[in-house]
């Protein structure tokens, strides 16, 4: 990828896309193409094919997706399946038709079986049943990986896939109904501190274990893979370390400086008990994360309160 290569960044306004944009700009890339969803609806095949045909793109980062936390996934499975299938099918097929040099597709660690052995290896894909709360999203993302794999096998194109663990960072979604746990808890503790509330509600038992990666580290890994990795196997991207939701809540509570209690809402689902990624393939390509969880949460909290 040359500094003036024509790079299409799909999903540039999102958590991941905006971090990829920062990373590409820091590295000196100058020809980055973006489109808002008003200008280009990625679910419409004709619009996407015409866009690729007209633009003659060299590289594609496929970071556009319908995403959300456990509640959103569980409540809107039709949209999570349909929107994601359409977006990835249209982009991957159009990239093939228009001769894109390399494409990177982004999945998610929820593609793996609910009870996969830990830490989860790339080869554990499709070896067991999925977690029901995010089955629709997982099926869509598995289809995306398989599209890249089979287009590569049948047509010889250089399409690769990366599977990030749970992400967080600036530009995250802080809407309590649709967000992931980390931004939700930052918001809840912050508001409880300001309003001097006695307690903050944590969904579920607090026992599930999750691995969290700072999104700027993810973006750096993705650009690294675009530059250095061209194999069929999708690559797990994570830190290799996890934490219980209860301990995450304690950490965020401390960083925010809230002094009240944490109470459980057991009517909310726990989801997968654990999804820690095996990151040895990623490390073998020469990349490792830099930001510790505490440091990352502090950065996001500072950004959230606007300092
Ligand atoms: O981050 P999260 O929504 O998604 O929830 P998943 C992680 C855990 O945190 C669950 C608990 O056990 C939640 O019950 N939790 C505690 C909370 N308090 C809260 C809260 O206030 N808000 C939220 N959202 N959770 C998603 C998948 O699963 O992970 C997606 O649904 C995707 O498909 C994404 O893979 C990365 O980690 O359970």
């Amino acid at each position: 990828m040359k500094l003036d290569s024509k790079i299409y960044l799909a999903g540039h306004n999102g958590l991941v896309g905006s971090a990829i944009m920062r990373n590409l700009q820091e590295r000196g890339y100058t020809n980055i193409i973006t489109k808002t969803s008003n200008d280009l609806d990625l679910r419409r095949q004709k619009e996407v094919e015409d866009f690729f045909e007209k633009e003659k793109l060299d590289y594609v980062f496929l970071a556009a997706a319908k995403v959300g936390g456990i509640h959103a996934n569980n409540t809107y499975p039709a949209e999570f399946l349909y929107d994601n299938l359409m977006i990835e099918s249209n982009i991957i097929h159009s990239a093939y038709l228009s001769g894109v040099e390399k494409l990177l597709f982004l999945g998610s660690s929820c593609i793996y079986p609910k009870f996969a052995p830990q830490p989860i290896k790339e080869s554990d894909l499709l070896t067991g049943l999925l977690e029901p709360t995010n089955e629709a999203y997982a099926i869509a993302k598995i289809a995306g990986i398989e599209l890249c794999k089979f287009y590569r096998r049948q047509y010889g194109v250089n399409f690769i896939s990366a599977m990030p663990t749970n992400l967080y960072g600036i530009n995250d979604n802080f809407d309590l109904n649709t967000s992931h746990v980390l931004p939700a808890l930052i918001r809840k503790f912050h508001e409880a501190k300001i309003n001097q509330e006695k307690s903050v509600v944590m969904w579920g038992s607090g026992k599930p274990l999750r691995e969290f990666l700072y999104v700027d580290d993810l973006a750096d890994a993705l650009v690294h893979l675009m530059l250095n990795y061209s194999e069929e196997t999708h690559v797990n991207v994570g830190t290799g370390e996890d934490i219980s939701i209860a301990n995450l809540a304690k950490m965020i509570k401390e960083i925010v400086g809230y002094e009240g209690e944490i109470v459980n809402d057991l009517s909310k689902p726990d989801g997968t008990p654990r999804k820690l990624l095996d990151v040895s393939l990623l490390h073998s390509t020469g990349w490792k994360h830099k930001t510790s969880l505490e440091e990352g949460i502090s950065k996001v909290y500072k950004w959230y309160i606007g300092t």
Side-chain angles (χ1 to χ4, degrees), residues 233-248:
T233 306
H234 60 276
V235 184
N236 287 343
V237 184
T239 62
E241 296 153 23
D242 60 4
I243 181 171
S244 72
I245 297 299
N247 283 336
L248 174 77

Side-chain angles (χ1 to χ4, degrees), residues 119-171:
I120 312 174
K121 293 189 173 55
E122 286 82 0
S123 57
D124 292 322
L125 184 63
L126 294 173
T127 56
L129 293 176
L130 298 165
E131 153 62 28
T133 55
N134 58 37
E135 191 179 350
Y137 181 69
I139 294 276
K141 289 296 181 180
I142 293 169
I145 300 171
E146 299 296 270
L147 276 170
C148 289
K149 180 174 94 182
F150 290 124
Y151 272 67
R152 164 185 285 275
R153 279 192 198 168
Q154 191 176 332
Y155 301 121
V157 290
N158 194 1
F159 293 176
I160 61 169
S161 300
M163 293 308 115
T165 190
N166 285 36
L167 303 168
Y168 69 100
I170 64 170
N171 294 328

Side-chain angles (χ1 to χ4, degrees), residues 24 35 37 40 53 157 171 196:
L24 287 171
K35 286 275 168 194
S37 47
L40 174 63
E53 199 42 52
V157 290
N171 294 328
Q196 298 181 331

Side-chain angles (χ1 to χ4, degrees), residues 66-74 80 107-111 131 133-138 141 164-167 175-186 188 200-212 245-246 248-249 263-265 268-273 275:
K66 178 163 183 67
V67 299
I70 193 165
H71 181 68
N73 268 267
N74 213 9
F80 274 82
S108 160
S109 60
C110 70
I111 57 161
E131 153 62 28
T133 55
N134 58 37
E135 191 179 350
Y137 181 69
K141 289 296 181 180
T165 190
N166 285 36
L167 303 168
D175 175 323
L176 295 180
N177 280 315
T178 54
S179 67
H180 290 96
V181 60
L182 200 149
L185 290 179
I186 289 182
K188 286 184 190 177
V200 159
V201 173
M202 175 181 71
W203 294 356
S205 67
K207 288 183 191 153
L209 292 156
R210 291 290 184 273
E211 176 186 8
F212 295 96
I245 297 299
L248 174 77
V263 294
N264 294 76
D265 175 358
K268 293 287 194 302
D270 269 351
T272 300
K275 47 177 171 180

Side-chain angles (χ1 to χ4, degrees), residues 236-262:
N236 287 343
V237 184
T239 62
E241 296 153 23
D242 60 4
I243 181 171
S244 72
I245 297 299
N247 283 336
L248 174 77
K250 280 187 204 148
M251 190 185 275
I252 298 176
K253 178 181 152 171
E254 207 151 286
I255 290 168
V256 171
Y258 172 69
E259 287 176 354
E261 278 175 52
I262 300 172

